[in-house]
């Protein structure tokens, strides 16, 4: 006979002493255990910072935080890489293979632009953008079919660089001087490389002279802050080259005869302000040295630096008078364009002699226009009327 329900129940229930049927303990899984225990299918005691199972088996417990990663380490190199900017790469490549060679004929200076300055640009956002802007302008001159595309790149890069550099210009501190000097010089090349017949940035000024003609004061100020006599940084070869060109102009063979004697007579007869007269005398004296150098040299012996040595020397006192539109200052400046003409084979100076002579002529009155006869003849420019 089959057992009654009550007897079947009595045979299947545990008779372990002290444990009643209602108090049987169930084994529950841990839902918050470490990954290692879950993988091994064992109960995790969730002890921190490492559960005891992982400690016992010498396994890494994911409760234990990883040590901070060194800056040079990456968890997943592929995921951490930024997207390639092919325009940046193209412009940087062009600068280090072609543009750098147009910035100077001096071998040492070229090497600095190609290597040390290019390398420094990789550590300064605004220097890199200024460098890329100049490279874009350089390409625009050699790819007419893509001119507007590269001009737009140049404007965008330089505009961004200018905003970043402007925040550092207010207070010159030693660690920023090299970057600001490089930015300022590249800005001059940027302006020189800009289209000469448009309202391109830095090309048109309030007094008809381009704004870049007044950038020399900023570069001069930063150069002085570098203390060029004792400075020994990466820019030393370029600064030394400028000093060498200045000294070359002041050699004894360039002292004889004043090719600006007629201009000197005009200035002496018309300028009554003694302070201004002293500035004009010095400007003419130094310009006489520089003109003797370039006119007595073969073109292959000249460097683009020769076009700017006089302008750098005039930055502090003469350039402010030029910026104010002084008639005498404009006439003296127009004579300096003969240097631009002599060094005009440079990619960056080509055409500026006639453009600036034309603008100088436009802002002069009839009397002072007569003083421009020599530069007009030397440059070969024809007045419009």
């Amino acid at each position: 006979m089959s057992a009654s329900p009550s007897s079947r129940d009595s045979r299947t229930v545990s008779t372990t002493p002290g444990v009643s049927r209602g108090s049987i303990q169930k084994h529950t899984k841990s839902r918050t255990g470490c990954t290692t225990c879950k993988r091994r299918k064992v109960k995790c005691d969730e002890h921190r910072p490492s559960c005891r199972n992982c400690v016992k088996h010498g396994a890494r417990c994911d409760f234990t935080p990883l040590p901070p990663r060194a800056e040079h380490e990456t968890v997943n190199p592929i995921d951490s890489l930024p997207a390639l900017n092919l325009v940046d790469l193209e412009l940087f490549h062009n600068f280090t293979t072609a543009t750098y060679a147009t910035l100077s004929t001096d071998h040492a200076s070229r090497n600095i632009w190609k290597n040390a300055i290019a390398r420094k640009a990789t550590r300064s956002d605004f220097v890199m953008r200024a460098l890329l802007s100049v490279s874009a302008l350089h390409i625009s001159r050699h790819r007419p079919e893509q001119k507007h595309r590269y001009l737009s790149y140049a404007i965008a890069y330089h505009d961004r660089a200018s905003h970043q550099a402007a925040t550092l210009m207010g207070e010159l501190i030693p660690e920023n001087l090299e970057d600001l000097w490089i930015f300022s010089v590249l800005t001059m090349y940027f302006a020189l490389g800009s289209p000469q017949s448009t309202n391109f940035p830095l090309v048109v000024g309030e007094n008809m002279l381009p704004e870049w003609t007044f950038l020399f004061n900023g570069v001069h100020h930063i150069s002085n802050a570098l203390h060029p006599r004792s400075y020994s940084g990466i820019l030393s070869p370029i600064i030394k080259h400028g000093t060498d060109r200045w000294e070359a102009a002041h050699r004894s063979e360039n002292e004889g005869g004043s090719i600006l004697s007629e201009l000197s007579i005009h200035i002496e007869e018309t300028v009554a302000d003694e302070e201004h007269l002293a500035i004009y005398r010095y400007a003419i004296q130094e310009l006489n040295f520089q003109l003797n150098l370039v006119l007595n040299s073969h073109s292959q012996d000249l460097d683009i630096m020769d076009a700017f040595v006089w302008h750098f020397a005039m930055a502090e006192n003469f350039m402010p008078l030029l910026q104010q539109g002084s008639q005498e200052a404009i006439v003296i400046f127009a004579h300096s364009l003969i240097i631009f003409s002599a060094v005009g084979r440079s990619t960056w100076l080509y055409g500026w002699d006639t453009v600036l002579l034309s603008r100088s002529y436009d802002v002069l009155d009839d009397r002072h226009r007569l003083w421009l006869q020599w530069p007009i003849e030397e440059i070969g420019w024809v007045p419009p009327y």
Side-chain angles (χ1 to χ4, degrees), residues 313-327:
M314 298 299 107
E316 190 171 353
N317 296 314
F318 177 82
M319 286 300 176
L321 293 177
L322 179 64
Q323 194 164 19
Q324 293 167 18
S326 161
Q327 295 279 288

Side-chain angles (χ1 to χ4, degrees), residues 217-285:
N217 196 25
V219 179
H220 182 263
H221 184 51
I222 297 171
S223 296
N224 285 340
L226 279 171
H227 303 294
R229 292 182 181 275
S230 58
Y231 173 74
S232 59
I234 64 168
L235 304 176
S236 294
I238 299 178
I239 295 175
K240 181 181 183 301
H241 179 55
T243 301
D244 290 343
R245 298 312 297 171
W246 168 266
E247 293 176 351
H250 287 75
R251 293 172 186 158
S252 57
E253 59 265 29
N254 295 318
E255 292 180 3
S258 176
I259 55 179
L260 297 175
S261 57
E262 186 174 343
L263 176 60
S264 296
I265 293 172
H266 289 316
I267 296 294
E268 294 288 344
E269 290 177 345
T270 58
V271 178
D273 187 302
E274 285 298 326
E275 182 179 354
H276 289 180
L277 184 59
I279 293 173
Y280 294 145
R281 284 171 179 164
Y282 179 67
I284 293 173
Q285 171 190 305

